[in-house]
Amino acid sequence: MTFQLVSLQGCGSPLEEAQSSQAAKPRLEWIMTHEEHHAAKTLGIGKAIAVLTSGGDAQGMNAAVRAVVRVGIFTGARVFFVHEGYQGLVDGGDNIKEATWESVSMMLQLGGTVIGSARCKDFREREGRLRAAYNLKAGKITDEEATKSSYLNIVGLVGSIDNDFCGTDMTIGTDSALHRIIEIVDAITTTAQSHQRTFVLEVMGRHCGYLALVTSLSCGADWVFIPECPPDDDWEEHLCRRLSETRTRGSRLNIIIVAEGAIDRNGKPITSEDIKNLVVKRLGYDTRVTVLGHVQRGGTPSAFDRILGSRMGVEAVMALLEGTPDTPACVVSLSGNQAVRLPLMECVQVTKDVTKAMEEKKFDEALKLRGRSFMNNWEVYKLLAHVRPPVSKSGSHTVAVMNVGAPAAGMNAAVRSTVRIGLIQGNRVLVVHDGFEGLAKGQIEEAGWSYVGGWTGQGGSKLGTKRTLPKKSFEQISANITKFNIQGLVIIGGFEAYTGGLELMEGRKQFDELCIPFVVIPATVSNNVPGSDFSVGADTALNTICTTCDRIKQSAAGTKRRVFIIETMGGYCGYLATMAGLAAGADAAYIFEEPFTIRDLQANVEHLVQKMKTTVKRGLVLRNEKCNENYTTDFIFNLYSEEGKGIFDSRKNVLGHMQQGGSPTPFDRNFATKMGAKAMNWMSGKIKESYRNGRIFANTPDSGCVLGMRKRALLFQPVTELQGQTDFEHRIPKEQWWLKLRPILKILAKYEIDLDTSDHAHLEHITRKRSGEGAV
């Protein structure tokens, strides 16, 4: 029997373990070639997969393990747990047990790693690796078996809250750790404002400053210390000046974020206590230190990490089953929203190169090796935190910022970033209240640096937002553009922001005043704006749904045989229902994009009837609000109630507008902040480009764009070019990337479906990936 190995390598686990596992390679038998895989359900026949978690635990590891087990079983393979990481591999015995479908049923929402993890010195030695190889074969390996069994495929998934592994934009657990940190930062911010205090918060990151850096962007911190970018030698003076300037502008608090591995240019550690003593001595501010510690590793995984772990687990199994004797060990990584496979040892080497560069004080090189995503975060942070806005605005341009459509968490972070980057560039920045209606009525005022202070973590829309479109008010809007000398417009909003942009383009034929550059930043919980794979606010709504589903499922713990039908928002777009279903472990998710019939509903009911015969006696069904005009939530609830009589009872919940509320998640704060910065940089360039005969005149298609994330890059796309990609009747893009994840949801819910394996991640090289466009 061919044995495969999936390893979730944890934060703090020695990188040598990756090399050791590669060197261990007991030669095992090749049963089936890739050409013989006629169907996904036969890919794993005759094979066995072992899954283990190693090093520090990370939220989302259990989601990955669950996916490996269920997809492995779906393909016909036998799947084994290796408890206690590499130590369990070396010790063998009861540490290696066969997994079943039901054995992973309760794992998705749990933090940590259910199958355990341990540091293992034995595996670093040849003798330990030989013992591990014997345990995989359940006994000594004879010469005949060694000849017959020729190889062992290895695929790694990186579980690390530090995001310290090169080759992936995000490691499993990082987003959840950021959730824990931001919850604490938000709580500390309220008490700091009450007492006019300075707080120094120390977060994890001995060798990587990702958590500290993104936290600083997500909470608008005054300063951040990270090991990759030590401060200049006169940092003490600069820090104290920065803190005092913030107080002078009216702020009642200061927040300083410190990575535990922070150092100065000479490699000397900068501790949180050092910073506290400096602030107290130089400025006399009431200063407190909070060390977050292992709370960052704990708690329920975020929706992002559950989906990431599930996707990576599926891809890992496919990489194993598609492997050949010549396939090198790989690591499944995330690039933008794409799963990619990278050579494991290349990634290990680049990660080591980062550590070496920092030891040799080559900090610029270390920063580049971290990748473009890390560098983009750093550049935006420096702009927002370390640059003084110019006092004079002589000769500057005037840019207006507005929200359009329904409110979405993260809108305020985008406005803050847009305003401050505009001010840094020397522009005059105006804010428009109540969207296009406010632009028509002249509800416009100038915004200074302090105007948007503290907006990053606030939900909703501080500017006010309405769904009103501009076409009926072109005359008033044109008059106010002239009155306030508006030369560029940043529109932050949902589908109405996009359609409003199209109307502005059409209106240019009649009104020259509308011939100014504008850019749309997608911000809507529905994630239905053409031209972007993600919208600001969708992640927050997704986490709200996921948390609610967890609580609903928990409520059924004492009452067996119960099925919950949950209605989600999204209009005709099924993004929230699909992704929440994947994150919460739903049995079905009904969406408009995938039409269903009464026969499908009957099949789902029968599926739940069979599920009630197992040890898992509860069900979860999600329904997108406009998936079908006849099969309403009430209809589905009544159908399930009737057909489930005597077997299970049903409950329904309509989540409603709670999905639009709440404080934005770290993802939405960071995404919105970088989108705002990039939009304003584009705007400044486009205004200069459009300056003609003493005025701004922009009438080319590329002067009105949607800024969107497409696969691995942020792109500016003319709104007129996106028309052909839009289903205007249903307010959705004609093609949506996340629909390819629907089969994963069904497989993990134990449906017998056909899985298309033709579109999968190919092995790439990290050098090529790092030279390409960086994703958010």
Side-chain angles (χ1 to χ4, degrees):
M1 177 175 289
T2 304
F3 225 112
Q4 324 282 355
L5 184 66
V6 176
S7 170
L8 272 80
Q9 200 74 14
C11 164
S13 179
L15 290 172
E16 286 80 2
E17 287 186 359
Q19 293 173 310
S20 299
S21 10
Q22 178 79 341
K25 280 193 174 181
R27 301 299 180 179
L28 301 177
E29 184 180 6
W30 172 251
I31 297 292
M32 186 182 295
T33 66
H34 180 64
E35 287 72 26
E36 292 172 311
H37 296 322
H38 299 299
K41 283 179 267 188
T42 64
L43 278 171
I45 293 176
K47 298 183 179 180
I49 298 171
V51 57
L52 61 89
T53 54
S54 174
D57 62 300
Q59 308 97 316
M61 278 185 166
N62 289 323
V65 171
R66 172 179 176 266
V68 168
V69 169
R70 291 196 165 179
V71 176
I73 292 174
F74 173 83
T75 61
R78 296 176 69 190
V79 185
F80 291 81
F81 289 138
V82 178
H83 293 270
E84 313 309 332
Y86 286 104
Q87 191 65 55
L89 207 59
V90 172
D91 295 342
D94 290 339
N95 287 310
I96 303 178
K97 297 179 180 178
E98 187 162 2
T100 64
W101 193 277
E102 284 74 24
S103 65
V104 294
S105 294
M106 307 299 291
M107 291 176 65
L108 189 60
Q109 65 266 36
L110 298 178
T113 166
V114 170
I115 60 175
S117 181
R119 317 288 184 188
C120 182
K121 293 182 180 179
D122 294 339
F123 197 77
R124 299 188 193 181
E125 306 297 328
R126 176 173 171 76
E127 180 59 33
R129 296 197 292 273
L130 283 174
R131 286 164 58 193
Y134 298 156
N135 290 327
L136 284 176
K137 288 294 289 185
K140 296 289 184 179
I141 300 174
T142 65
D143 291 341
E144 182 182 353
E145 286 177 321
T147 301
K148 184 174 64 174
S149 304
S150 60
Y151 76 104
L152 173 71
N153 283 124
I154 298 171
V155 175
L157 307 179
V158 189
S160 166
I161 68 167
D162 292 338
N163 201 30
D164 56 356
F165 192 81
C166 293
T168 185
D169 288 344
M170 288 284 276
T171 55
I172 297 169
T174 302
D175 187 70
S176 299
L178 286 169
H179 274 251
R180 301 293 92 76
I181 296 169
I182 290 301
E183 287 168 8
I184 295 167
V185 171
D186 286 351
I188 283 176
T189 297
T190 58
T191 184
Q193 287 177 329
S194 300
H195 296 275
Q196 298 191 62
R197 284 179 177 149
T198 295
F199 268 89
V200 182
L201 284 88
E202 182 180 307
V203 302
M204 285 186 170
R206 191 172 302 143
H207 304 294
C208 178
Y210 186 87
L211 287 180
L213 179 55
V214 174
T215 297
S216 69
L217 281 171
S218 300
C219 71
D222 296 286
W223 199 281
V224 66
F225 291 91
I226 60 175
E228 293 88 347
C229 302
D232 296 331
D233 292 337
D234 61 344
W235 66 268
E236 295 94 342
E237 296 290 338
H238 193 177
L239 171 62
C240 291
R241 183 175 67 249
R242 168 71 180 164
L243 298 182
S244 60
E245 286 176 352
T246 302
R247 292 291 179 98
T248 301
R249 286 196 291 264
S251 177
R252 293 177 57 85
L253 79 156
N254 298 113
I255 299 291
I256 301 169
I257 309 295
V258 188
E260 61 179 324
I263 55 175
D264 64 16
R265 288 277 167 183
N266 299 314
K268 178 185 175 183
I270 298 176
T271 68
S272 49
E273 284 296 330
D274 292 338
I275 298 167
K276 173 190 172 182
N277 295 335
L278 171 69
V279 175
V280 171
K281 182 179 179 181
R282 297 273 187 98
L283 300 175
Y285 293 167
D286 184 1
T287 306
R288 306 296 169 91
V289 172
T290 300
V291 180
L292 272 60
H294 282 75
V295 68
Q296 297 159 86
R297 286 195 191 280
T300 301
S302 66
F304 184 98
D305 275 328
R306 298 185 199 193
I307 295 167
L308 178 63
S310 299
R311 290 182 66 189
M312 298 300 99
V314 172
E315 191 60 44
V317 172
M318 300 313 295
L320 286 178
L321 301 184
E322 292 164 2
T324 70
D326 299 322
T327 302
C330 72
V331 58
V332 177
S333 301
L334 183 72
S335 181
N337 66 357
Q338 304 292 297
V340 297
R341 302 175 191 173
L342 300 173
L344 175 62
M345 301 319 298
E346 279 190 30
C347 296
V348 170
Q349 186 56 54
V350 175
T351 305
K352 283 186 169 184
D353 290 344
V354 175
T355 303
K356 182 181 178 182
M358 288 194 287
E359 289 173 350
E360 296 175 351
K361 301 179 178 59
K362 299 177 180 177
F363 300 112
D364 289 342
E365 182 179 336
L367 184 61
K368 290 178 182 177
L369 288 170
R370 282 286 181 219
R372 288 178 63 98
S373 179
F374 193 100
M375 289 181 65
N376 289 341
N377 282 323
W378 179 246
E379 293 302 321
V380 173
Y381 162 74
K382 285 197 301 182
L383 276 177
L384 292 172
H386 281 203
V387 178
R388 293 181 178 181
V391 177
S392 172
K393 292 185 174 57
S394 56
S396 66
H397 302 296
T398 301
V399 180
V401 186
M402 62 195 298
N403 294 156
V404 175
M411 277 183 164
N412 295 323
V415 172
R416 171 186 175 271
S417 174
T418 303
V419 168
R420 290 194 169 179
I421 294 297
L423 293 174
I424 287 167
Q425 294 172 344
N427 294 320
R428 176 172 170 256
V429 183
L430 306 177
V431 291
V432 181
H433 298 274
D434 295 337
F436 286 116
E437 184 177 311
L439 184 59
K441 293 180 178 179
Q443 297 171 203
I444 303 168
E445 62 179 315
E446 186 168 354
W449 190 270
S450 300
Y451 186 93
V452 291
W455 281 29
T456 308
Q458 297 189 31
S461 168
K462 297 276 286 183
L463 294 181
T465 179
K466 292 189 176 182
R467 298 177 183 270
T468 309
L469 294 174
K471 190 172 185 179
K472 295 180 180 179
S473 307
F474 275 161
E475 287 190 14
Q476 299 94 315
I477 288 173
S478 298
N480 282 322
I481 287 175
T482 301
K483 177 181 177 180
F484 291 92
N485 191 31
I486 296 172
Q487 298 168 309
L489 191 59
V490 178
I491 308 168
I492 303 165
F495 199 85
E496 290 85 359
Y498 162 66
T499 52
L502 285 172
E503 289 189 3
L504 290 177
M505 294 294 286
E506 185 66 24
R508 287 177 174 181
K509 298 175 183 178
Q510 293 178 279
F511 300 91
D512 286 351
E513 295 85 353
L514 300 180
C515 294
I516 59 173
F518 69 84
V519 59
V520 175
I521 298 176
T524 167
V525 302
S526 300
N527 196 33
N528 63 335
V529 177
S532 188
D533 294 341
F534 292 104
S535 297
V536 173
D539 185 71
T540 303
L542 187 57
N543 275 275
T544 299
I545 299 168
C546 195
T547 301
T548 305
C549 288
D550 284 352
R551 292 176 179 175
I552 287 172
K553 287 166 67 178
Q554 189 179 50
S555 74
T559 307
K560 303 298 183 183
R561 297 187 176 88
R562 178 163 288 175
V563 175
F564 290 93
I565 294 98
I566 312 295
E567 182 184 299
T568 68
M569 275 186 165
Y572 287 99
C573 181
Y575 176 84
L576 288 180
T578 296
M579 302 304 268
L582 191 55
D587 296 282
Y590 301 122
I591 63 171
F592 169 78
E593 293 91 342
E594 192 174 280
F596 57 96
T597 66
I598 191 66
R599 288 179 291 279
D600 296 311
L601 293 172
Q602 289 172 330
N604 296 148
V605 171
E606 179 58 31
H607 172 80
L608 286 166
V609 168
Q610 296 302 317
K611 185 177 183 181
M612 297 302 158
K613 298 176 182 178
T614 69
T615 56
V616 185
K617 300 182 185 300
R618 63 187 180 190
L620 178 66
V621 175
L622 299 182
R623 179 190 177 274
N624 168 242
E625 59 182 346
K626 290 188 177 181
C627 64
N628 189 293
E629 63 178 345
N630 295 314
Y631 297 143
T632 63
T633 300
D634 287 336
F635 178 93
I636 293 174
F637 167 70
N638 292 333
L639 175 67
Y640 274 62
S641 298
E642 179 64 27
E643 296 298 318
K645 277 183 179 178
I647 303 170
F648 61 80
D649 61 356
S650 302
R651 297 288 187 274
K652 66 176 178 179
N653 293 82
V654 178
L655 302 186
H657 284 78
M658 65 181 293
Q659 297 161 82
Q660 289 181 334
S663 178
T665 59
F667 180 95
D668 276 331
R669 299 184 195 197
N670 189 30
F671 187 41
T673 298
K674 287 194 285 189
M675 293 282 273
K678 195 169 185 71
M680 185 54 84
N681 284 333
W682 176 89
M683 179 62 69
S684 294
K686 191 59 67 174
I687 288 176
K688 292 176 183 177
E689 181 185 310
S690 305
Y691 192 80
R692 303 172 189 172
N693 302 320
R695 58 163 291 192
I696 304 298
F697 188 80
N699 63 350
T700 57
D702 66 352
S703 61
C705 289
V706 169
L707 170 57
M709 181 179 175
R710 303 300 293 264
K711 294 186 177 179
R712 306 188 192 184
L714 286 175
L715 302 175
F716 290 93
Q717 303 145 98
V719 292
T720 51
E721 289 184 8
L722 293 173
Q723 283 182 285
Q725 304 173 26
T726 306
D727 176 354
F728 286 97
E729 180 184 355
H730 300 105
R731 297 160 54 89
I732 55 175
K734 290 181 179 178
E735 293 186 8
Q736 301 184 85
W737 68 273
W738 50 266
L739 286 170
K740 294 182 179 180
L741 302 183
R742 295 277 300 176
I744 297 177
L745 189 156
K746 295 177 182 179
I747 290 172
L748 296 179
K750 207 175 183 178
Y751 283 92
E752 292 292 326
I753 69 164
D754 292 325
L755 180 62
D756 180 10
T757 60
S758 61
D759 184 18
H760 59 256
H762 297 281
L763 189 67
E764 299 183 6
H765 291 278
I766 189 171
T767 49
R768 188 191 316 160
K769 176 179 179 294
R770 281 169 39 224
S771 64
E773 283 293 327
V776 177

